[in-house]
Amino acid sequence: MLELHDVVELREAMPGEDLPAGAVGAIVDVFDGPPPMYEVEFADDDGRTIAMITLRADQVVRHDDHL
C-alpha cells in the first residue's frame, strides 16, 4: 500500500488533466476505501501545481526516484 508523500507515476494518461502516462507526482492524502484512493499532486519544473487528482491504487505505481 502507498503512503503519504510517496512519489508515484501514472500508469495511464489523464487527457482531461493534460497528464501523460508516466507523469510523476506526490501523494498528498490517502483515502482508506475500499478501494484505496490517493490524492496526488503533479507539479511543473518550477514547483507550481499543474494538477491535483484523486486516483485509484491501480492507476499509479511507486516511483523509485524522488521529485
Side-chain angles (χ1 to χ4, degrees), residues 10-15 17-24 42:
L10 287 175
R11 290 179 180 259
E12 57 192 58
M14 297 287 160
E17 299 291 338
D18 200 26
L19 293 170
V24 176
F42 296 89

Side-chain angles (χ1 to χ4, degrees), residues 41-50:
E41 180 180 19
F42 296 89
D44 65 14
D45 291 338
D46 294 321
R48 292 181 298 241
T49 300
I50 55 174

Side-chain angles (χ1 to χ4, degrees), residues 23-46:
V24 176
I27 295 176
V28 295
D29 206 349
V30 177
F31 307 105
D32 287 333
M37 305 277 285
Y38 306 99
E39 187 79 9
V40 181
E41 180 180 19
F42 296 89
D44 65 14
D45 291 338
D46 294 321

Side-chain angles (χ1 to χ4, degrees), residues 15 33 62:
R62 187 182 317 267

